[in-house]
């Protein structure tokens, strides 16, 4: 019945978008960058740079598709097989097998550049005549990691989103507005009826529409400080909640991680037969790849129990069914239909455990014509409209770093799950929640959707600029790859910045936002010429002292030493059973009365098999030994 203070840092909240790359310095993995582009020769002076894969030009726009080794190996081989069958694959590439092309060799530039260029040119020529819609159909049928780079117009016309009832139209003061709406599919009545934003004073005469609060009065006397401290030490908000985590990589595991942070018992099912993709991604301690320890996997799985199962075996799937009978919540991120093929569909599991809440987080959702599209969050970002927005104004888009919708999906899945838990507490009923990463992503583009629907304007690339501020950008500093972000939110910010830059920046034409926007290219050139003559630390300190929003573009070493992150305990270490420490990023939100706690590091291979099977499921040691001998527990 008591409230508390929820303290959220925007800085910490956006660090997941680096896929734990910011931890590289802390774990001793120098120059780590999972998504660094492969070495490319710069174009001749004056020549327009070519599109950088994974963007490919097609008849009506662009598609997103990575071609290479690593997680995209199977897709790349399927693409080349398709091209070969169509007579579009050059002879020197007929024996090309991306499974033998490791990501490390690819990024290190150890493959012949002439052969790579031949592959790029062949793929570009093959895709060029296709439309985005045609390639989407082929991607679904052929299981390619490919998606159209959707614009706001594409989203509003999407048959898939229409079939899922994603957009709604509301009335705002007589004007019709189209909005993205339900960010998850679930039981009837899960979402309130949509309505437009309130006008000024619209509800002044409404009285008190809120129902009375349940539980103790907010005016109840707080506990004495000592009693409160003892209570904080014992309370875990999700204590007693049992969670079966069948999710992979980032989007699904982030949900289980949030529950484990606050007391839930989370059993993560993993395997050494098909190693989890996050285990293969760094940064790794000492820069040595090791699927049993890495900052990305450790961050998303700290606090969980680990159970190794080969889900290709029916005996392993029987164990999963037993865990589903034990669990309150099951989280899974397989491609739609995979659980049913294993006879583990949410419907069948809930038939045996009616109180079970199943959360399915997939790229496009469990229904609709694009539901079978495979891919990671970069494909989700293309489908959700982000890939079309990120890039320099007037230049081909580059898209956001990494699998962007992987970071957004769990932010919507968590409140949906909390609502489902509240519904079960009141009714005893479980549910099946369908969370689409792409649909969650479009929620972040609601203003662009509203504008496109109302005016026909289609948002495009703006670089780092924005309409209501100038300058708003990132500028070079002295030295190699040193940059600083500078913003003048208004004319009051601009005045001290202009004084610091001096010279032409003092031109009265720049005194107003309108004047600065009218000559933004010239403005940015003046600031860039000024910053590139100075060390980034000097520019940062001087501008911050003047009250101008400015900060260096931080690299991993900066983040580890950042006094704000240090003060908030952003990086934390636990002893690792295999030796040394497990480093992970802590919770992005601090709760004053019920803080997050981290009971155990992320599991290494088979660490908790015996405890899960005997203590949680009650198997006897003879049964466990039989499963182990049969090769099920791997």
């Amino acid at each position: 019945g008591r409230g508390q203070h929820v303290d959220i840092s925007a800085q910490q909240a956006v660090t997941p978008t680096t896929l734990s790359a910011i931890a590289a310095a802390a774990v001793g993995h120098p120059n780590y960058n999972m998504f660094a582009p492969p070495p490319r020769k710069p174009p001749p002076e004056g020549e327009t740079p070519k599109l950088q894969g994974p963007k490919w030009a097609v008849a009506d726009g662009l598609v997103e598709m990575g071609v290479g080794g690593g997680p995209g190996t199977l897709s790349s081989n399927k693409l080349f097989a398709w091209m070969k069958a169509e007579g579009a694959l050059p002879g020197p590439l007929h024996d090309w097998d991306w499974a033998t092309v490791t990501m490390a060799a690819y990024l290190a530039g150890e493959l012949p550049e002439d052969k790579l260029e031949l592959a790029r040119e062949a793929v570009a020529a093959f895709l060029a005549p296709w439309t985005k819609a045609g390639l989407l159909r082929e991607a679904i049928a052929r299981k390619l990691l490919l998606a159209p780079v959707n614009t706001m117009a594409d989203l509003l016309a999407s048959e898939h989103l229409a079939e899922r009832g994603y957009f709604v139209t509301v009335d705002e003061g007589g004007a019709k507005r189209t909005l993205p709406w339900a960010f998850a599919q679930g039981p009837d009545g899960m979402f309130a009826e949509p309505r437009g934003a309130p006008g000024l004073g619209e509800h002044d005469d409404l009285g008190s529409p809120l129902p009375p609060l349940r539980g103790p009065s907010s005016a109840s006397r707080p506990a004495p400080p000592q009693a409160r401290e003892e209570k904080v030490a014992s309370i875990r908000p999700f204590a007693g909640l049992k969670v079966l985590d069948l999710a992979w990589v980032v989007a699904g595991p982030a949900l289980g991680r949030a529950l484990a942070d606050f007391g839930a018992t989370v059993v993560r099912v993993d395997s050494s037969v098909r190693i989890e993709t996050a285990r293969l991604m760094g940064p790794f301690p000492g820069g040595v790849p090791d699927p049993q320890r890495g900052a990305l996997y450790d961050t998303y799985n700290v606090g969980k129990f680990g159970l190794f199962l080969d889900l290709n075996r029916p005996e392993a799937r029987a164990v999963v069914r037993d865990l589903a009978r034990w669990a309150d919540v099951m989280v899974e991120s397989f491609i739609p239909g995979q659980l049913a093929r294993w006879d583990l569909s949410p419907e069948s599991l809930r038939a045996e455990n009616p109180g079970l809440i199943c959360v399915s987080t997939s790229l496009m959702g469990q229904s609709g014509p694009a539901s079978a599209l495979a891919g990671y969050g970069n494909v989700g970002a293309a489908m959700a409209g982000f890939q079309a927005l990120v890039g320099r104004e007037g230049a081909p888009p580059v898209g956001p770093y990494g699998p962007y919708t992987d970071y957004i999906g769990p932010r919507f899945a968590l409140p949906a799950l909390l609502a489902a838990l509240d519904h079960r507490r009141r009714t005893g009923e479980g549910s099946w929640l369908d969370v689409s990463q792409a649909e969650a992503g479009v929620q972040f583009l609601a203003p662009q959707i509203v504008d496109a629907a109302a005016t026909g304007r289609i948002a495009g690339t703006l670089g780092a600029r924005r309409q209501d501020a100038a300058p708003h950008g990132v500028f070079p500093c002295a030295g190699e790859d040193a940059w600083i972000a500078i913003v003048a939110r208004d004319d009051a910010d601009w005045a001290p910045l202009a004084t610091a830059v001096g010279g032409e920046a003092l031109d009265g034409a720049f005194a107003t936002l309108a004047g600065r926007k009218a000559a933004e290219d010239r403005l940015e050139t003046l600031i860039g010429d000024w910053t590139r003559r100075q060390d980034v630390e000097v520019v940062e300190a001087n501008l911050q002292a003047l009250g101008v929003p400015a900060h260096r573009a931080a690299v991993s070493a900066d983040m580890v030493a950042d006094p704000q992150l240090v003060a908030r305990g952003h990086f934390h270490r636990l002893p690792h059973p295999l030796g040394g420490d497990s480093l992970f990023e802590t919770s992005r939100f601090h709760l004053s009365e019920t803080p997050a706690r981290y009971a155990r590091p992320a599991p290494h291979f088979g660490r908790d098999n015996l405890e899960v099977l005997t203590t949680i499921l009650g198997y006897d040691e003879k049964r466990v030994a039989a499963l182990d001998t049969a090769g099920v527990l791997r």
Side-chain angles (χ1 to χ4, degrees):
R2 291 180 53 82
Q4 55 180 314
H5 180 206
V6 181
D7 172 15
I8 301 174
S9 157
Q11 179 190 26
Q12 288 182 281
V14 299
T15 59
T17 63
T18 73
L19 279 180
S20 292
I22 64 167
V27 299
H29 194 160
N31 303 317
Y32 171 78
N33 185 354
M34 179 65 187
F35 295 102
R40 295 287 297 271
K41 294 178 181 178
E45 187 172 350
E47 182 177 313
T48 302
K50 295 180 181 179
L51 275 173
Q52 296 284 315
K55 303 291 185 299
W56 308 90
V58 296
D60 57 350
L62 300 173
V63 295
E64 168 84 6
M65 179 180 63
V67 179
T73 294
L74 291 177
S75 174
S76 298
N77 279 345
K78 288 175 181 177
L79 171 69
F80 274 32
W82 179 26
M83 292 172 62
K84 185 176 180 179
E86 297 289 335
L89 190 69
L93 301 178
H94 279 196
D95 61 348
W96 196 281
D97 179 8
W98 283 104
T100 65
V101 182
T102 67
M103 181 61 74
Y106 182 53
L107 297 181
E110 295 172 359
L111 298 176
E113 175 61 27
D114 59 342
K115 210 167 185 181
L116 282 173
E117 189 61 29
L118 180 64
R120 283 191 287 261
E121 290 176 353
V123 171
F126 180 69
L127 297 179
W130 286 85
T131 63
K132 292 191 288 188
L135 281 173
L136 177 59
R137 288 191 294 270
E138 293 293 333
I140 294 171
R142 298 176 183 274
K143 301 189 185 306
L144 302 177
L145 303 185
L146 177 151
V149 174
N150 281 333
T151 65
M152 299 306 109
D154 294 328
L155 293 172
L156 287 167
S158 167
E159 294 179 6
H160 178 81
L161 295 178
E163 184 170 313
R164 288 173 60 83
Y166 182 66
F167 292 115
V168 297
T169 301
V170 297
D171 187 286
E172 287 187 357
K176 299 296 184 182
R177 303 295 187 217
T178 298
L179 300 166
W181 188 239
F183 53 80
Q185 304 278 331
D188 292 341
M190 180 175 174
F191 285 86
E193 288 298 313
R195 65 184 184 190
L200 287 174
E202 180 181 347
H203 301 113
D204 285 0
D205 299 328
L206 197 59
S208 178
L210 297 177
L213 292 173
R214 295 190 296 267
S217 165
S218 59
S220 59
R221 191 178 301 276
Q226 181 177 354
R228 187 166 69 249
E229 290 173 7
E230 293 172 353
K231 189 175 183 181
V232 166
S234 62
I235 286 181
R236 307 296 305 280
F238 292 132
L241 187 71
K242 298 169 291 187
V243 181
L244 170 57
D245 187 345
L246 296 175
W248 273 43
V249 196
V250 171
L255 190 58
R257 158 71 197 271
L259 301 176
D261 283 353
F262 296 96
T265 299
V266 181
V267 174
R268 170 70 196 271
V269 173
D270 210 338
S271 178
S272 60
V273 176
R274 184 183 176 193
I275 295 180
E276 217 270 47
T277 302
R279 287 188 179 275
L280 303 176
M281 301 167 67
F284 297 105
V288 179
D290 182 349
Q292 303 213 65
R293 52 194 316 167
L296 178 65
Y297 185 86
D298 287 0
T299 287
Y300 283 94
N301 295 283
V302 64
K304 301 178 184 179
F305 291 91
L307 173 64
F308 261 49
L309 291 173
D310 178 2
L311 292 180
N312 294 311
R313 302 287 298 273
E315 305 97 319
R317 300 196 288 271
V319 175
V320 170
R321 187 169 289 277
D322 286 344
L323 283 168
R325 281 191 284 264
W326 160 83
D328 299 299
V329 174
M330 182 186 78
V331 182
E332 64 93 8
S333 57
F334 294 106
I335 194 167
Q338 181 58 53
L339 284 179
R341 287 188 284 274
W342 282 334
D343 194 27
L344 293 172
S345 68
E347 297 98 330
S348 68
L349 298 180
R350 291 185 58 237
E352 298 178 9
N353 180 0
L356 181 66
I357 299 170
C358 297
V359 183
S360 293
T361 169
S362 62
L363 200 68
M364 300 300 296
Q366 301 294 304
S367 63
S371 60
L373 180 66
Y376 297 96
N378 67 312
V379 172
M383 294 297 290
F386 288 98
Q387 297 283 8
L389 299 181
V390 182
R392 291 187 178 276
E393 188 172 9
V398 295
Y401 178 87
Y404 195 69
T405 54
D406 274 22
Y407 321 128
I408 301 175
R411 271 78 191 158
F412 287 94
L414 183 56
L417 173 57
L418 294 178
L421 286 168
D422 179 65
H423 176 75
R424 190 184 71 168
R425 180 179 59 82
R426 290 182 286 106
T427 67
E429 298 173 354
S431 55
W432 182 12
L433 304 180
D434 171 10
V435 181
S436 157
Q437 284 187 36
E439 289 174 359
V442 176
Q443 296 286 335
F444 274 25
L445 298 176
Q448 288 84 356
I449 289 290
V450 172
D451 188 49
T455 69
R457 287 190 296 260
I458 305 302
T461 55
L462 286 175
R465 294 177 178 178
R466 55 182 293 161
Q467 296 299 326
D468 58 353
H472 188 283
V474 183
F475 302 90
C477 293
E480 183 179 355
D481 205 23
W483 304 80
I484 187 162
I486 301 174
V487 177
R489 298 163 295 185
D490 49 33
D491 298 343
D493 278 347
W494 169 248
L497 176 57
T499 301
V501 175
E504 294 181 50
L506 297 172
D507 186 332
F510 290 134
T512 65
L513 174 63
R516 295 192 296 280
K517 293 297 291 185
E520 199 159 14
D521 288 343
R522 177 177 167 232
L523 173 76
E524 291 180 350
T525 298
L526 290 174
I527 295 173
D529 289 344
W530 175 70
T531 58
R532 66 167 39 95
R533 298 193 299 268
Q534 304 173 70
D535 290 336
V536 67
E537 296 86 355
V538 174
V539 181
E540 179 186 71
N542 290 343
L543 291 183
Q544 288 182 2
L546 293 171
V548 177
H551 199 282
R552 76 190 71 183
V555 297
S556 178
D558 297 319
M559 300 296 284
V560 173
D562 186 301
Q564 182 69 12
L565 292 181
V566 170
R568 294 180 66 84
H570 183 76
F571 295 104
H572 192 71
R573 297 178 186 270
L574 288 174
H576 198 288
L578 299 180
D581 292 329
S582 167
L583 180 135
F584 57 92
E585 297 174 68
T586 56
S587 176
R588 273 74 188 183
F589 37 90
H590 294 184
L591 305 185
S592 61
E593 304 296 304
T594 59
R597 287 192 279 163
Y598 315 103
R600 58 186 60 80
H604 57 270
F605 289 2
R607 184 190 68 187
D608 305 310
N609 285 0
L610 186 61
E611 184 170 1
V612 170
L613 295 175
T614 59
T615 303
I616 289 178
L617 292 184
Y619 291 3
D620 59 37
E621 293 190 7
K622 182 178 180 181
R623 182 176 180 184
V624 174
L627 290 171
D628 192 17
T629 302
V632 175
L633 306 181
R634 62 191 182 97

